[in-house]
C-alpha cells in the first residue's frame, strides 16, 4: 500500500515520496537537503520499476508532481476497510445456526457458511473449501485487480498527457500556417494595389492629354470668334456710311478681310470617338478564376497547374497568329 503523498515519475510509474526521497538520497549522497540554506542543485536517480533515469531540478523529490488519482484510490480503499461492520477480534456467526461461526466457504453457492450447514443444512451437497484459503485467494485477486486498475489509470494519464501535447502542438502549427497564409495574401494585396495605381495613372495621363488638346482648340475657336465678331461690327458700320467715296475707300479692303477670315475658319477639331476611353478596359475574368481556384495543395500540384496555364497561353497565341495569316 502506498503511503501518501504519492508522486508520479516522468516514466509514469508511482512512488511514495518518502521512498523516492530514500532512493534519491542514496543515488545523490552529496545533494543539499531541502531545508538547508546552502545553494541547491539537481540530481538524478533511476525508477525502481523500469530503470528509467529521472533527472531532478533543484527542488529534488519535492519538484515531482503528486498523483492525486492514486491518493484518492488509497483513501477510498481505506474508507471501505474502516466502514466494515466487523471489528478486529470479532467473528461473524451463521444465521441458520446461531452458535456456529462461519468457518468454511461454499464453492458451489459462492458464499461463506458454517460446518453445520455443510453437514445438516442447505449446503449438504455442495463443494466447500477452508475459509482461510478462499480468503487469501480472493484477497490476492482483489489486490491484483487494484494493481491492474492503477496501472490502467497510469496509462490513461499518459494518454491524456500525450493528447494535451498533441492539442498544444496543433494550436501552434495552426497559428504558424495562418501567419504564413496572411503574409502571402498581404503580398498579393500589395501587388494588386501597385498595379491598380499604375493603371489609374495611365488613364489620368491620357485624360489630361485629351483635355489639354480640347481646351487649346476651344481657345483657338474663341479667338477666331472674337476676330469675326469685330469684323462683322466694322462691316455693319461701313454699310451705314452715307458717303460713297468714304465707303469705297474701305469697302474693298473690308471685303478682302471678310473673305480671308471665312477661309481661316477651318481650325483643327477632334476626330470621331476622340472622347472614347474604352481601350482602357481590362478582361480580368481569367485572373478572377485563378484567384477563386486558390486552394491548399502540394508544390507538385502547383507546378502542374502553372504548366497547364502556360501551355494554354501558348496555344492561344498560336491560334491568333494562324488567324492573322
Amino acid at each position: 500500500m502506498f503511503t501518501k503523498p504519492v508522486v508520479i515519475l516522468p516514466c509514469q510509474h508511482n512512488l511514495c515520496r518518502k521512498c523516492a526521497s530514500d532512493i534519491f538520497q542514496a543515488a545523490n549522497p552529496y545533494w543539499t537537503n531541502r531545508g538547508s540554506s546552502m545553494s541547491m542543485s539537481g540530481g538524478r536517480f533511476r525508477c525502481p520499476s523500469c530503470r528509467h533515469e529521472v533527472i531532478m531540478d533543484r527542488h529534488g523529490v519535492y519538484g515531482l508532481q503528486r498523483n492525486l488519482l492514486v491518493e484518492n484510490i488509497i483513501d477510498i480503499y481505506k474508507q471501505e476497510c474502516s466502514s466494515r461492520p466487523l471489528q478486529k477480534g470479532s467473528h461473524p456467526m451463521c444465521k441458520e445456526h446461531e452458535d456456529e461461526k462461519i468457518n468454511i466457504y461454499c464453492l458451489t453457492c459462492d458464499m461463506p457458511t458454517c460446518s453445520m450447514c455443510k453437514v445438516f443444512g442447505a449446503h449438504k451437497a455442495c463443494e466447500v473449501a477452508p475459509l482461510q484459503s478462499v480468503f487469501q485467494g480472493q484477497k490476492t485477486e482483489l489486490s491484483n485487480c487494484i494493481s491492474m486498475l492503477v496501472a490502467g489509470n497510469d496509462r490513461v494519464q499518459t494518454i491524456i498527457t500525450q493528447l494535451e501535447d498533441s492539442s498544444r502542438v496543433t494550436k501552434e502549427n495552426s497559428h504558424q500556417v495562418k501567419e504564413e497564409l496572411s503574409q502571402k495574401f498581404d503580398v498579393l494585396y500589395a501587388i494588386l494595389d501597385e498595379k491598380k495605381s499604375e493603371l489609374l495613372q495611365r488613364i489620368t495621363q491620357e485624360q489630361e492629354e485629351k483635355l489639354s488638346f480640347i481646351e487649346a482648340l476651344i481657345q483657338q475657336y474663341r479667338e477666331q470668334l472674337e476676330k469675326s465678331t469685330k469684323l462683322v461690327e466694322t462691316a455693319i458700320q461701313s454699310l451705314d456710311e452715307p458717303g460713297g467715296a468714304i465707303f469705297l475707300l474701305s469697302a474693298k479692303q473690308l471685303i478682302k478681310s471678310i473673305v480671308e477670315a471665312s477661309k481661316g475658319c477651318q481650325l483643327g477639331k477632334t476626330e470621331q470617338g476622340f472622347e472614347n476611353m474604352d481601350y482602357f478596359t481590362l478582361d480580368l475574368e481569367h485572373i478572377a478564376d485563378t484567384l477563386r481556384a486558390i486552394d491548399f495543395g502540394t508544390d507538385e500540384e502547383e507546378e502542374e497547374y502553372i504548366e497547364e496555364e502556360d501551355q494554354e497561353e501558348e496555344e492561344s497565341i498560336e491560334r491568333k497568329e494562324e488567324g492573322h495569316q
Side-chain angles (χ1 to χ4, degrees):
M1 183 65 66
F2 285 112
T3 301
K4 295 195 305 180
V6 179
V7 295
I8 183 168
L9 304 180
C11 58
Q12 302 303 311
H13 289 115
N14 297 284
L15 275 177
C16 308
R17 182 185 287 172
K18 183 180 181 307
C19 299
S21 179
D22 293 341
I23 298 173
F24 179 68
Q25 291 293 342
N28 303 270
Y30 300 107
W31 188 79
T32 307
N33 291 333
R34 185 168 183 256
S36 174
S37 59
M38 298 175 60
S39 61
M40 295 180 289
S41 59
R44 60 187 66 196
F45 69 95
R46 293 190 178 276
C47 171
S49 297
C50 66
R51 308 304 298 166
H52 176 78
E53 187 176 49
V54 181
I55 300 175
M56 311 299 296
D57 60 13
R58 63 189 186 86
H59 299 291
V61 294
Y62 292 93
L64 294 172
Q65 182 180 357
R66 291 177 61 178
N67 193 333
L68 300 179
L69 179 62
V70 172
E71 292 183 6
N72 290 337
I73 293 175
I74 294 171
D75 291 338
I76 294 172
Y77 179 76
K78 289 181 177 180
Q79 285 179 356
E80 290 291 331
C81 293
S82 62
S83 63
R84 291 175 183 174
L86 298 180
Q87 301 296 327
K88 185 177 180 180
S90 63
H91 196 96
M93 308 300 288
C94 179
K95 294 181 179 180
E96 297 295 329
H97 308 91
E98 296 180 357
D99 295 332
E100 293 292 329
K101 295 180 180 179
I102 294 179
N103 53 7
I104 60 174
Y105 191 87
C106 179
L107 300 176
T108 305
C109 301
D110 200 19
M111 61 179 295
T113 185
C114 72
S115 301
M116 294 296 292
C117 288
K118 170 59 180 172
V119 177
F120 303 105
H123 300 281
K124 185 176 181 179
C126 297
E127 182 180 358
V128 297
L131 190 66
Q132 189 64 26
S133 63
V134 178
F135 163 72
Q136 291 296 336
Q138 291 198 1
K139 190 173 182 180
T140 301
E141 183 180 356
L142 180 59
S143 298
N144 293 335
C145 290
I146 293 174
S147 300
M148 289 170 48
L149 181 60
V150 172
N153 291 336
D154 290 342
R155 288 192 295 270
V156 171
Q157 183 63 48
T158 302
I159 294 172
I160 291 174
T161 302
Q162 292 173 349
L163 291 175
E164 289 174 347
D165 291 341
S166 177
S167 175
R168 176 183 54 79
V169 174
T170 301
K171 291 179 180 178
E172 292 175 354
N173 291 339
S174 298
H175 178 73
Q176 179 180 352
V177 296
K178 284 180 181 178
E179 288 291 328
E180 293 175 355
L181 182 65
S182 297
Q183 291 175 2
K184 291 181 179 179
F185 271 86
D186 288 341
V187 172
L188 290 178
Y189 298 151
I191 293 173
L192 289 174
D193 286 338
E194 182 180 357
K195 180 56 68 174
K196 176 184 175 183
S197 300
E198 176 188 341
L199 297 178
L200 289 175
Q201 181 62 32
R202 288 171 56 184
I203 295 174
T204 301
Q205 182 178 354
E206 182 72 9
Q207 172 189 336
E208 291 175 352
E209 291 177 358
K210 287 190 174 185
L211 292 179
S212 178
F213 179 74
I214 293 173
E215 289 172 359
L217 288 179
I218 291 173
Q219 184 62 29
Q220 293 175 14
Y221 276 101
R222 281 178 177 168
E223 292 175 355
Q224 182 64 34
L225 179 61
E226 185 179 354
K227 291 179 181 179
S228 298
T229 302
K230 290 180 179 180
L231 195 58
V232 169
E233 291 176 355
T234 302
I236 293 174
Q237 291 176 358
S238 296
L239 289 174
D240 294 336
E241 184 61 44
I246 297 175
F247 174 78
L248 290 174
L249 288 173
S250 61
K252 190 172 182 179
Q253 183 62 38
L254 188 59
I255 291 171
K256 183 180 178 181
S257 299
I258 292 174
V259 172
E260 289 178 355
S262 299
K263 290 180 180 179
C265 241
Q266 303 298 325
L267 298 175
K269 52 184 170 182
T270 60
E271 299 177 356
Q272 185 178 3
F274 177 80
E275 67 279 0
N276 195 351
M277 304 287 278
D278 291 344
Y279 48 86
F280 285 111
T281 302
L282 289 178
D283 182 11
L284 300 178
E285 188 60 32
H286 64 290
I287 297 178
D289 292 338
T290 303
L291 292 175
R292 294 188 191 99
I294 291 176
D295 199 354
F296 299 107
T298 61
D299 294 337
E300 295 180 357
E301 292 176 350
E302 292 179 358
E303 291 176 359
E304 292 177 359
Y305 181 75
I306 294 173
E307 291 177 358
E308 290 177 359
E309 280 194 335
D310 293 341
Q311 186 175 357
E312 291 177 357
E313 187 175 354
E314 291 176 359
E315 292 176 354
S316 176
I317 295 173
E318 291 176 358
R319 285 195 296 267
K320 288 180 179 179
E321 291 177 351
E322 292 174 357
H324 289 308
Q325 293 175 357

